[in-house]
């Protein structure tokens, strides 16, 4: 069971075996106790027993356990590992309450509170329980409104939170064309901080990818007419309603965007270079026939391939090497398309 360290009852005059504590647990009030956590119990039962033994009022369902060091949510899947590692734990609000509290803080628009809440949101939004409650309670709309009004590090935290949310295969189908244009504007501004541009680049890349091509193949040149069949549109109401055309229409409203993205290939920040490469590769891989020539001609005019060649000698991180190889594959298709295109 989960309980503060104590001794078992034995016959008078005989010393009983000691219950060895497995973890320390810190409550919201700052009280830290040594507790023995039973690895055969579910997390819900562990929390229930902790609340009972520590005389904490309130429904145990409104509490959860997190790793005190990494802030990781303790679940049935990782509970035994936390016990084995003797992790320091803390008793906190359940994801349901944390999501509601976060949304309330986003609505306040207080700069200091907002920055701290968004900093935590970057981590919590990756947790399915939290994300579901956040989405069900209109958290996405609040987050998008924050993105359109803040700047600096606060904007960076907000964009990273949204980028992490876009890893879910549901819940963000309501993003509007105007909001996508706002992300394009953020990315196109050469004066924005690198920590702002990194998540903005990832967001655009994930929106380009969200066309259902994972199941039906991407819209890249084929061996005959130059392209495979465009990705089949999925049912309305899914996150796979975006894709290349939706994003590219907004990109064209900011004429200098591709120039800025290509220029970042020559930057000194490795992750910014990598994300820029992945965006360019995604655009080339998902480009539809209506925009293929325009996109490839623009990238050629910007000497994109020359910038990539310079990267081959200046960067050695594995992910970037893979992105360079992907780009080379895209260029092979571009060359083939030009050779087989009917004039």
């Amino acid at each position: 069971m989960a309980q503060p360290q104590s001794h078992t009852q034995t016959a008078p005059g005989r010393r009983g075996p000691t219950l060895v504590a497995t973890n320390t647990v810190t409550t919201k009030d700052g009280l830290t106790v040594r507790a023995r956590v039973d690895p055969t119990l579910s997390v819900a039962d562990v929390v229930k027993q902790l609340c009972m033994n520590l005389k904490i009022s309130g429904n145990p369902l409104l509490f959860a356990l997190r790793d005190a060091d990494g802030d990781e949510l303790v679940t049935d899947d990782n509970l035994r590992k936390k016990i084995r590692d003797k992790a320091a734990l803390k008793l906190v609000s359940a994801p349901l309450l944390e999501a509601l509290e976060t949304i309330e803080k986003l609505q306040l628009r207080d700069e200091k509170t907002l920055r701290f809440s968004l900093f935590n949101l970057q981590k919590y939004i990756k947790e399915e329980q939290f994300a579901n409650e956040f989405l069900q309670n209109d958290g996405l709309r609040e987050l998008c409104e924050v993105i359109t009004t803040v700047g600096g590090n606060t904007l960076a935290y907000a964009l990273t939170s949204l980028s992490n949310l876009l890893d879910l295969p549901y819940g963000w189908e309501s993003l509007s064309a105007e909001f996508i244009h706002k992300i394009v504007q953020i990315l196109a501004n050469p004066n924005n901080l690198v920590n702002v541009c990194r998540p903005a680049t990832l967001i655009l890349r994930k929106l380009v990818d969200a066309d259902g091509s994972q199941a039906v193949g991407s819209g890249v040149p084929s061996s005959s007419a130059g392209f495979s069949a465009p990705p089949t549109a999925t049912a309305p109401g899914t996150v796979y309603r975006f894709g290349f055309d939706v994003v590219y229409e907004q990109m064209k409203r900011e004429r200098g965007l591709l120039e800025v993205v290509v220029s970042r290939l020559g930057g000194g920040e490795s992750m910014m270079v990598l994300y820029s490469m992945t965006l360019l590769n995604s655009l080339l891989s998902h480009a539809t026939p209506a925009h293929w020539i325009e996109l490839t001609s623009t990238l050629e005019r910007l000497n994109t391939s020359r910038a990539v060649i310079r990267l081959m000698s200046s960067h050695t991180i594995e992910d970037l090497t893979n992105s360079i190889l992907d780009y080379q594959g895209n260029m092979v298709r571009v060359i083939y398309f030009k050779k087989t295109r009917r004039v």
Side-chain angles (χ1 to χ4, degrees):
M1 65 186 297
Q3 61 179 21
Q5 188 176 17
S6 61
H7 298 282
T8 56
Q9 295 289 331
T10 58
R14 297 184 62 185
R15 185 177 179 84
T18 300
L19 290 176
V20 180
T22 59
N23 304 82
T24 60
V25 179
T26 302
T27 68
K28 286 184 174 182
D29 296 329
L31 172 67
T32 299
V33 297
R34 290 166 55 82
R36 178 176 177 81
V37 181
D38 188 341
T40 66
L41 297 179
S42 67
V43 173
D45 286 336
V46 171
V47 170
K48 182 178 179 180
Q49 291 195 6
L50 281 170
C51 290
M52 179 179 64
N53 292 328
L54 296 174
K55 296 181 173 54
I56 296 175
S57 61
N59 190 332
L61 293 177
L62 299 180
F63 294 89
L65 284 171
R66 288 189 179 276
D67 189 313
D69 295 326
D71 219 26
E72 180 184 10
L73 184 68
V74 179
T75 65
D76 291 339
D77 293 331
N78 63 18
L79 175 61
R80 287 178 177 81
K81 184 178 186 301
K82 298 299 181 185
I83 296 173
R84 185 173 64 251
D85 295 345
K86 301 186 182 301
L89 306 177
K90 58 182 180 179
L91 195 63
V92 297
S93 296
L96 165 63
L97 283 184
E98 287 181 326
L100 294 176
E101 291 168 359
T102 298
I103 293 171
E104 289 178 0
K105 291 172 182 176
L106 296 184
Q107 294 170 336
L108 291 176
R109 298 293 194 275
D110 174 72
E111 178 65 24
K112 187 175 181 179
T113 302
L114 197 58
R115 187 184 303 112
F116 182 74
S117 298
L118 289 168
F119 179 82
N120 288 328
L121 183 59
Q122 297 174 104
K123 299 176 293 184
Y124 293 161
I125 204 68
K126 297 178 182 179
E127 300 168 359
E128 186 175 2
Q129 295 178 44
F130 181 98
N132 288 339
E133 295 297 336
F134 186 81
L135 290 168
Q136 290 171 14
N137 290 278
D138 217 15
L140 177 60
R141 182 178 63 82
E142 294 296 337
L143 178 58
C144 290
E145 289 185 4
V146 167
I147 288 173
T148 62
T149 57
V150 299
N153 288 330
T154 305
L155 176 59
Y157 300 152
L159 290 169
T160 301
S161 299
L162 178 59
S163 176
N164 291 338
L165 180 62
L166 263 56
D167 289 332
L168 291 175
Y170 58 86
W172 41 277
E173 57 274 2
S174 61
L175 293 178
S176 67
E178 281 305 310
F179 179 76
I180 296 173
H181 181 235
K182 175 62 178 178
I183 301 299
V184 169
Q185 288 180 312
I186 292 171
L187 187 57
N189 186 344
N191 297 319
N192 272 331
L193 300 172
V194 171
N195 63 344
V196 168
C197 295
R198 280 196 303 260
T201 304
L202 276 180
I203 289 169
L204 284 190
R205 194 264 295 168
K206 291 175 182 180
L207 290 172
V208 172
D209 290 345
D211 60 3
S213 63
Q214 295 90 333
V216 299
S218 59
V220 296
S222 70
S223 59
S224 55
F227 291 89
S228 63
T232 303
T234 55
T238 73
V239 298
Y240 300 111
R241 70 174 191 84
F242 297 100
F244 177 87
D245 284 341
V246 171
V247 176
Y248 196 68
E249 285 299 322
Q250 302 308 316
M251 290 176 61
K252 291 198 298 183
R253 294 172 62 182
E254 297 295 323
R255 299 180 64 87
L257 174 63
L258 282 175
E259 183 176 356
V260 172
V261 173
V262 172
S263 72
R264 288 185 176 131
L265 296 180
E269 216 278 333
S270 295
M271 295 309 297
M272 187 71 255
V273 174
L274 174 61
Y275 293 165
S276 298
M277 277 295 304
T278 59
L279 175 57
L280 292 173
N281 279 327
S282 184
L283 290 170
L284 287 166
S285 297
H286 293 267
T288 53
H291 301 292
W292 171 258
I293 294 177
E294 179 183 6
L295 173 65
T296 55
S297 297
T298 301
L299 292 178
E300 186 175 353
R301 176 177 57 81
L302 294 173
N303 294 316
T304 307
S305 293
R306 186 178 299 173
V308 174
I309 290 173
R310 286 196 294 267
L311 279 180
M312 296 171 66
S313 60
S314 61
H315 288 270
T316 58
I317 61 174
E318 183 177 352
D319 287 342
L320 188 52
T321 300
N322 292 335
S323 290
I324 291 173
L325 292 174
D326 290 341
Y327 179 83
Q328 290 173 339
N330 283 319
M331 286 301 100
V332 168
R333 288 190 285 270
V334 171
I335 294 170
Y336 184 85
F337 173 67
K338 288 182 177 181
K339 288 179 63 175
T340 58
R341 176 186 169 202
R342 294 193 184 104
V343 180

